Structure formats: C-alpha cells, structure tokens
Amino acid sequence: SGFNSIGHMDTMLRGRHHIGHYKEGEEFIQNVFHVLFLLFSGKEKSNLSICWLQYEISKVVQCLQAKNKRKLKAQGRKSKKLAKNLLKAPDNRNDLSLWKLYAYLEWLLGNIDDARKVFDTALCTVGTEGLKSPQLCSLSLLYAQLEVELLESIEGAVMSRAAHILTRLAESGPYVPYSGQVLSVNVLKARKTYEHALQDYLSKTSVSDQGQVSDANQLVNLVGCYALFQYLTVGIDAAVLIYSQTSEKLEASGPQKCENTRENFGVQNFPTALEAVTLLHTNLLKFHMKISVYPLNPLREALMEALKRYPSNQSLWRSYIHIQRKSHSASKARRFFDGVTRSTNALEPWLFAIQAEQMRKKLTENVQRADVGEIHSTIPETGLTNRIVALFEHAVQSENGTHCPLLWRMYLNFMV
C-alpha cells in the first residue's frame, strides 16, 4: 500500500471524496523530509522548508474538498505545528515566502483574524522596498486576493482592507495595519506609482540571465497587484485593460527577442510570465461574475484564446468546462476541443474533452431518470456514449495517450 490505491477502479468515481494519503506512504514522505532537512543548509534548506509546508497545505486542501471536518482539525494542528517549527529556525525568521504560506494555512483553516495578524506582522517586519521587493509584492498580492474574495459586492471596495494593502505597498513606507479607511489622495499617488513601475518593467530590455526568473515572477506579481488595485478603485474594465496591455506587450517582445536570450526575460520565461498573467486575468473575470452581473463572453473569449496558446494548462481547462456547462449548446465547445486536439500533442485537451462529455451524459441521465409519477424513464443516451467512446479511441491512438495509464483506466472504467 503506497500513496494511492492503484488497483481499485472505484477511486475514479468518487471525484472529490478521493482516498487521501495512505499511512505508510505518508510516513515515508515525512521520513524523506526529515532526512533531507539535516543535509541542506542556507538557500536550499529554505527552499525545502517551502516545499514541505506546501505539501502540508495540499493535505489541508484535500480535507477541505472532502468536507471532512474531523480530519481537517487534526491535519490543521499538525500542519500549524510544522509551520511554527520551521519559522523558529534562525534562517527562516525573515523568510517572507514561509510567512506567506503560514498565513495562507491559517486562512484555509478558517482562522481569518489569526491569518491577518500573521500577514500584518510579516508586512510590518519587512523593509520599505515596496514594489521593488518580489517577495513583498507576492505576499501583498496573496493577502489582497484573499481579502477581495470576502467582498460581497464591488461597491465601496475602495475603502476595503484589500485596497489598503495594495495602496500601502505602492507607498514604499513602513506598513501600517488597516484602520477602516483609505485616503483618496493615497489612492491617486499609488495609481501613479503602479503605472510608472509597470512601464519601467515592460520597457526593460537587458536583464542578466540570473535575474530572468525572478524578473518574470516580479512582473507577474506587479501586474497582479496593479490590476487588483484598479479593480477595487475604478472597476473591472480598468483591471482588464492592464491585463490586455501587458499581454500585448509580452507577446510583442517575445518572438523577436528569441535570438538573443540575454535580452528581455529570455525565451524560457516569456511563456511562463504570459501564462501567469492570463491566469490572473481569467480568475478575476470569474470572481467578478460571481459577485455582480457581467456578460459571460469576455471570460469565454479570454479562456479560448489562452487555451490555444497553453493547451496543457489544467486550471484554464477547468474554468472552460465550468462555464461551458452553463450553455445548452455543446457544438461550440466540441468544435473548440476538436481544433485544439488537432493542433497540439498535449493530452490535457483529450482528457478534458472526455470529462466534459461525461458530465453532459450524467446530466442527461439525471434528467431522464427523474421520477415522473408512476413512469420511471430509463432511455439510454446512446449518442453521447458513442461520442465518448470515439473520443477515447482517438485519445489512446495519439502519441502521448498510448502511454498514459490514467487514460486507459478511464476508458476501461467507462466501458464497465
């Protein structure tokens, strides 16, 4: 018994209520972390601490998805104990990435006030570099995003805690915890600062190789903070404008600069920066649709555009399937899936195309099997079944599909 019940087909049907980590497998992973921890020092050790805490957070997320409160409580205690022990180490006390993960852990466990205290403490202890510090930008962005998710409407958001965090970040002064109001003059100054900082970043042409990855990350954090700031202080259109301008600029600089990797952010990091900006863009649109009335088309267009470019991105596919479920016409989505599968070797488009059809089949069967008085209709939906089988057949014939155990198991499971 390792980490997953490989031999049991029923794990697929449970979806969210997936079997968690096995005891023996879990012990093995913990032992690996403990042993490695003694071997590393300095930067490597802090990177390992981050990996360890991220792994603990993934287990908390799993408990949340399975809605298992008892297990969540126990897991939360263990994860918090580890986080505190890691932060006690002298090397980690000023590591903002660890503070960020610890605050996020508290937030996930529902301890919002404790999480805010951790975020505020981390922001107060750090220097006054403001937008120049990648870690500070990343921390402020997460804090602001979590605060924005608590908002019930966008009206009055300019006075919210999230707006305060993003305004203070642009001021480059010592952080002052939220007192309930944000001054208009500070908002105007912050907008100017963000605008100049983003222009400077996008017009940078030469960056040393070492700085490429951190620069790409910093650009993403900066765009995220600025767009969220505009969303809270002006509105959704202002935020979308920043995302589109940044994407255009990144696309324009990408291809021509390929000959010389020293220029701009280098070939490797262009797609990553652009992809991350696209994800921020689609997530903001999705959130805005949840709290206010907004057309579906901008989100659909943005997702389709992004998926043509990044056919392996699972978060984008999940969002796409989620919005397609709301539309009654399947033909548009089918054409889109068909187009993407033809143009790429990635396996994700096949897997998500199959999942979308299986959801549709389940929905149809639920409607058909609804009790109507004495009549209990059980007409099989053969059209969808044949379509799903055809998709499986095409997928397992593709180069990557032939070697994908998951795909074969899904196929067997469906045929059973």
Side-chain angles (χ1 to χ4, degrees):
S1 52
F3 315 116
N4 206 335
S5 43
I6 299 291
H8 297 287
M9 290 304 294
D10 63 353
T11 52
M12 284 189 172
L13 297 173
R14 293 191 195 173
R16 277 194 319 193
H17 306 291
H18 213 60
I19 292 175
H21 297 261
Y22 268 98
K23 202 170 155 203
E24 290 89 338
E26 183 54 35
E27 278 171 17
F28 171 74
I29 290 181
Q30 294 299 341
N31 288 342
V32 170
F33 274 122
H34 282 295
V35 171
L36 285 178
F37 216 63
L38 304 171
L39 302 177
F40 286 127
S41 62
K43 187 77 186 117
E44 281 89 0
K45 195 167 188 171
S46 74
N47 284 345
L48 185 68
S49 307
I50 288 167
C51 288
W52 197 351
L53 198 47
Q54 281 173 333
Y55 170 65
E56 288 295 316
I57 287 175
S58 75
K59 289 189 288 186
V60 169
V61 170
Q62 208 170 29
C63 295
L64 281 168
Q65 285 174 338
K67 296 192 165 78
N68 186 337
K69 282 188 181 165
R70 207 172 73 232
K71 203 171 163 193
L72 178 68
K73 215 171 177 181
Q75 184 57 56
R77 273 200 305 273
K78 280 187 213 161
S79 301
K80 272 167 71 171
K81 190 179 169 190
L82 174 81
K84 284 175 180 170
N85 286 341
L86 289 173
L87 282 165
K88 274 178 197 164
D91 303 348
N92 292 338
R93 279 186 193 146
N94 296 329
D95 189 340
L96 275 189
S97 306
L98 269 180
W99 281 102
K100 177 175 116 174
L101 287 173
Y102 175 46
Y104 182 47
L105 175 66
E106 288 281 18
W107 195 284
L108 283 173
L109 293 169
N111 313 327
I112 307 278
D113 289 337
D114 292 345
R116 281 176 178 157
K117 275 178 200 156
V118 176
F119 273 123
D120 287 345
T121 308
L123 288 169
C124 289
T125 51
V126 82
T128 54
E129 290 177 55
L131 295 172
K132 290 188 180 72
S133 158
Q135 285 191 319
L136 188 57
C137 271
S138 170
L139 180 82
S140 302
L141 178 59
L142 178 69
Y143 190 8
Q145 283 171 333
L146 292 171
E147 286 291 347
V148 168
E149 282 174 17
L150 295 180
L151 296 177
E152 281 162 20
S153 84
I154 197 68
E155 279 155 38
V158 69
M159 287 294 153
S160 66
R161 189 185 287 263
H164 168 78
I165 296 157
L166 295 170
T167 308
R168 296 298 308 187
L169 173 69
E171 282 171 12
S172 300
Y175 182 76
V176 181
Y178 180 60
S179 59
Q181 60 171 354
V182 183
L183 298 175
S184 315
V185 63
N186 293 350
V187 169
L188 290 172
K189 279 184 196 164
R191 187 173 297 126
K192 273 274 169 274
T193 312
Y194 275 121
E195 201 178 320
H196 292 314
L198 185 58
Q199 278 169 358
D200 290 349
Y201 245 88
L202 290 174
S203 58
K204 256 190 199 179
T205 45
S206 60
V207 175
S208 68
D209 286 358
Q210 288 80 21
Q212 282 178 3
V213 178
S214 60
D215 268 11
N217 289 342
Q218 174 58 350
L219 174 66
V220 174
N221 290 330
L222 180 61
V223 172
C225 289
Y226 184 21
L228 200 55
F229 174 79
Q230 288 290 74
Y231 175 63
L232 294 167
T233 56
V234 185
I236 185 71
D237 295 335
V240 168
L241 184 66
I242 289 161
Y243 285 129
S244 350
Q245 284 173 347
T246 310
S247 301
E248 274 169 33
K249 187 84 176 160
L250 286 175
E251 280 165 38
S253 331
Q256 296 91 4
K257 303 271 165 116
C258 285
E259 300 85 53
N260 182 355
T261 44
R262 283 185 172 280
E263 282 194 72
N264 242 315
F265 299 111
V267 189
Q268 314 87 341
N269 295 304
F270 249 101
T272 53
L274 193 52
E275 192 169 350
V277 167
T278 310
L279 257 174
L280 287 171
H281 178 186
T282 52
N283 285 344
L284 184 65
L285 283 175
K286 231 163 62 179
F287 170 75
H288 184 64
M289 283 173 65
K290 206 164 68 180
I291 63 164
S292 55
V293 181
Y294 193 71
L296 185 63
N297 219 31
L299 176 58
R300 187 188 282 130
E301 293 295 315
L303 282 170
M304 285 168 77
E305 204 47 53
L307 283 164
K308 283 176 200 163
R309 193 177 278 128
Y310 312 113
S312 302
N313 191 309
Q314 296 178 21
S315 321
L316 291 172
W317 278 120
R318 261 184 227 112
S319 303
Y320 180 70
I321 283 188
H322 183 71
I323 63 163
Q324 281 310 120
R325 284 174 73 182
K326 294 176 183 169
S327 93
H328 297 295
S329 156
S331 54
K332 213 174 191 175
R334 283 169 181 164
R335 278 201 302 277
F336 178 63
F337 273 117
D338 191 47
V340 177
T341 48
R342 282 169 198 271
S343 63
T344 175
N345 290 330
L347 199 55
E348 282 83 357
W350 287 112
L351 290 168
F352 281 98
I354 290 164
Q355 196 194 3
E357 295 296 347
Q358 284 183 325
M359 284 174 166
R360 197 171 286 282
K361 181 172 182 287
K362 198 172 168 188
L363 189 68
T364 315
E365 284 173 355
N366 285 349
V367 172
Q368 287 185 340
R369 299 239 164 107
D371 289 335
V372 188
E374 291 295 303
I375 309 157
H376 192 74
S377 148
T378 51
I379 309 161
E381 222 305 330
T382 49
L384 276 171
T385 305
N386 293 340
R387 174 178 282 279
I388 294 168
V389 171
L391 278 172
F392 272 121
E393 277 299 317
H394 284 300
V396 294
Q397 281 165 20
S398 69
E399 201 177 331
N400 293 340
T402 312
H403 305 293
C404 176
L406 172 67
L407 185 62
W408 286 104
R409 286 175 58 208
M410 281 167 68
Y411 194 3
L412 284 164
N413 198 33
F414 182 72
M415 295 312 275
V416 169

